[in-house]
Amino acid sequence: LNAIAGADPADPTALQAPVPDHLYKLDGDLRGLRVGLDTAWASYGIDAPTQQALEACLAVLKDAGATVVPVKMPDTQAALAAWTPMCCAEVAATHAENYPSRAAEYGPGLKGLIEAGSATSGLDYARAHDVRQQFRGQMAALFRGVDVLLAPAFLGQNMTLERFASFGSQVDDWDNLLRYTAPFD
């Protein structure tokens, strides 16, 4: 995070605030760190190796002195659903110069996002924005009691190149990929 955080002269949307040193306290002592864990939410739908990795991570955190605090995650389904129109519209805007003129160069997943984004109305985008703001407030409330939240980033192990080439062709591909990340985007 130290390497990528902060101002970027090539990105006018980058945060211009000073970047704290995120590494200064990495001495192995996590006493006082409050780790939020909603076991049911963090384990839902993940494969066995990912579950084992989550449990191993939890053990390391406890051994280093962190305190595990049981939390109840707000419902992430609405935030996940709201992510779709927002992301799709933003992707369509970003690729407007090259799509559809170079559509043959796009895979099915990105094509689907762009096409959905082109069909997203301003009203749909505004409604999704409202859902995002509500979820943001719920997460702010959750973080008043914890410092970090423990959860996987993905339901399973990394995709193979073969699976990646067909990504987006199954109805639940995006939901499965984004379940633990998109609500926070």
Side-chain angles (χ1 to χ4, degrees):
L1 186 56
N2 276 5
I4 64 171
D8 179 348
D11 182 359
T13 66
L15 184 63
Q16 300 299 312
V19 178
D21 182 2
H22 297 285
L23 301 175
Y24 84 99
K25 287 186 85 175
L26 290 182
D27 59 5
D29 183 1
L30 297 182
R31 285 178 292 190
L33 181 71
R34 300 167 301 164
V35 178
L37 177 62
D38 180 336
T39 304
W41 176 76
S43 299
Y44 182 79
I46 64 175
D47 66 9
T50 304
Q51 180 66 44
Q52 292 167 354
L54 195 65
E55 291 168 4
C57 181
L58 188 58
V60 168
L61 291 168
K62 286 179 178 179
D63 287 348
T67 301
V68 177
V69 178
V71 296
K72 175 71 174 129
M73 276 295 294
D75 182 9
T76 59
Q77 290 305 307
L80 181 57
W83 175 88
T84 303
M86 296 183 81
C87 179
C88 291
E90 292 166 1
V91 168
T94 300
H95 289 269
E97 187 176 317
N98 295 314
Y99 192 92
S101 63
R102 296 172 61 180
E105 298 174 43
Y106 287 78
L110 190 51
K111 278 184 184 180
L113 284 176
I114 293 170
E115 290 169 8
S118 296
T120 300
S121 72
L123 184 58
D124 290 339
Y125 190 92
R127 286 179 178 147
H129 177 73
D130 288 345
V131 170
R132 176 174 64 178
Q133 292 302 93
Q134 290 170 8
F135 184 74
R136 183 177 179 183
Q138 292 168 338
M139 290 307 300
L142 184 143
F143 274 100
R144 284 195 283 274
V146 298
D147 302 305
V148 296
L149 182 65
L150 181 61
F154 188 56
L155 296 176
Q157 300 172 32
N158 290 334
M159 283 190 266
T160 63
L161 289 175
E162 179 182 337
R163 175 69 183 104
F164 188 76
S166 67
F167 183 81
S169 61
Q170 301 297 313
V171 173
D172 60 352
D173 278 352
W174 284 107
D175 283 351
N176 288 338
L177 177 69
L178 302 170
R179 180 178 299 157
Y180 291 110
T181 57
F184 304 100
D185 288 350

